[in-house]
Amino acid sequence: MTTIQGPAVFLAQFIGDKAPFNSLDGICKWASDLGFKGIQMPTLDSRFIDLQKAAESKTYAEELKGRIASHGLEITELSTHLQGQLVAVHPAYDDFFDAFAPKEVHGKPKARQEWAVQQLKYAAKASQNLGLNAHATFSGSLLWQYFHPWPQRPPGLVEDGFAELAKRWLPILNEFDNAGVDLCYEIHPGEDLFDGETYEMFLKAVNNHSRACILYDPSHFVLQQLDYIQYIDFYHERIKAFHVKDAEFNPTGKQGTFGGYQSWLNRAGRYRSPGDGQIDFKTIFSKLTQYDFKGWAVMEWECCLKNQEDGAREGAEFIKNHIIKVTDKAFDDFAAVETNQVFNRKNLGL
């Protein structure tokens, strides 16, 4: 077994225009001072990383690593959640998702997708140059708007959707394989990969590609009322990244899993800061440790109640207190009996 690495923090929800969140050194010092040991880094803000340069220049990648290491930190994974979303966009969402891409490809779905695919390919090489073994992303979605079958879905629609999704992702998965990096899809509502069944459908469509892995975030399963503990039993061999994000689900006579179009504050299911929700993280950390998860415990802050800086400070300590330092001996070693094959055969009556 391996001791889970951490605590780490996903920077996406903290990057901003005011110090210390507007520069790499500022945000690294902030994270380090809170006790974090790693950062999961978004890749669209050039103040923090030039993704293309990290892919094309080992010197730049090494300098970036050194700069972060000077604060006592390391990169856990790069993130292309927003770019991954753009690999597969249903036309109904084109106007919404243009904001994730450069202005020159707005209103040009084909050019936007090509840009996103290139971003993922840069991310594979950049991860390799940075010495990383996992990468975090979204799958995008061609089918999400059809998840509730009314009117009835035409026969073959879902199968065709996953075939197209696989067609778009297979060249990217191969790039990650060439780089020796696992591509970890965050299983998430709004994506075509949002639970175990959809992940398996995708896995089948990409021929069980060895790099098609999982970023496990139990908060998304609480909102779906899915057994997030058993999920680990089913998919632990594919879980290569881990978000520590809490959630709660409090249904009423007026709303349930769909949330009634309410704000996050007023939904039955909502995200919370680590330790403030309903998730059984003690069991999660035990399960992941049992299955020899070798990655990082990365705090993702998304809470409609608590201030983000308070959430980060508490989250670092929360993760630290949940990481299980694995034992190097069996608890009953003191009672061990020296033995050999002759002794064993004798005790079997042979």
Side-chain angles (χ1 to χ4, degrees), residues 255-326:
Q255 60 162 297
T257 56
F258 295 164
Y261 294 117
Q262 299 304 296
S263 66
W264 279 115
L265 184 64
N266 295 315
R267 292 176 68 92
R270 58 188 188 177
Y271 303 124
R272 299 298 306 277
S273 281
D276 291 350
Q278 298 169 348
I279 294 178
D280 180 3
F281 280 106
K282 283 186 178 294
T283 299
I284 288 173
F285 274 83
S286 294
K287 283 276 187 186
L288 290 174
T289 301
Q290 171 190 340
Y291 287 125
D292 200 28
F293 174 68
K294 298 183 184 300
W296 286 80
V298 180
M299 190 202 83
E300 182 181 22
W301 176 86
E302 289 183 0
C303 184
C304 55
L305 292 173
K306 181 169 286 184
N307 174 273
Q308 62 267 36
E309 293 185 53
D310 290 341
R313 184 182 65 255
E314 295 171 6
E317 192 67 19
F318 183 85
I319 293 173
K320 180 181 176 182
N321 290 337
H322 278 79
I323 290 175
I324 300 168
K325 184 178 180 181
V326 299

Side-chain angles (χ1 to χ4, degrees), residues 70-108:
S70 71
H71 296 280
L73 298 169
E74 56 184 291
I75 301 173
T76 64
E77 301 92 10
L78 298 180
S79 155
T80 54
H81 283 82
L82 301 189
Q83 299 100 309
Q85 183 76 58
L86 301 182
V87 171
V89 176
H90 188 277
Y93 296 102
D94 271 337
D95 290 344
F96 290 91
F97 285 135
D98 265 352
F100 290 179
K103 288 184 178 180
E104 56 264 29
V105 297
H106 288 189
K108 304 172 184 176

Side-chain angles (χ1 to χ4, degrees), residues 177-191:
D177 193 32
N178 291 337
V181 179
D182 292 322
L183 185 55
C184 303
Y185 296 98
E186 183 167 359
I187 309 301
H188 192 293
E191 309 303 313

Side-chain angles (χ1 to χ4, degrees), residues 159-194:
E159 290 77 9
D160 288 349
F162 274 95
E164 177 62 26
L165 194 69
K167 179 182 176 182
R168 297 186 187 194
W169 277 104
L170 268 169
I172 300 170
L173 284 162
N174 290 336
E175 288 285 333
F176 275 86
D177 193 32
N178 291 337
V181 179
D182 292 322
L183 185 55
C184 303
Y185 296 98
E186 183 167 359
I187 309 301
H188 192 293
E191 309 303 313
D192 278 344
L193 278 61
F194 62 84

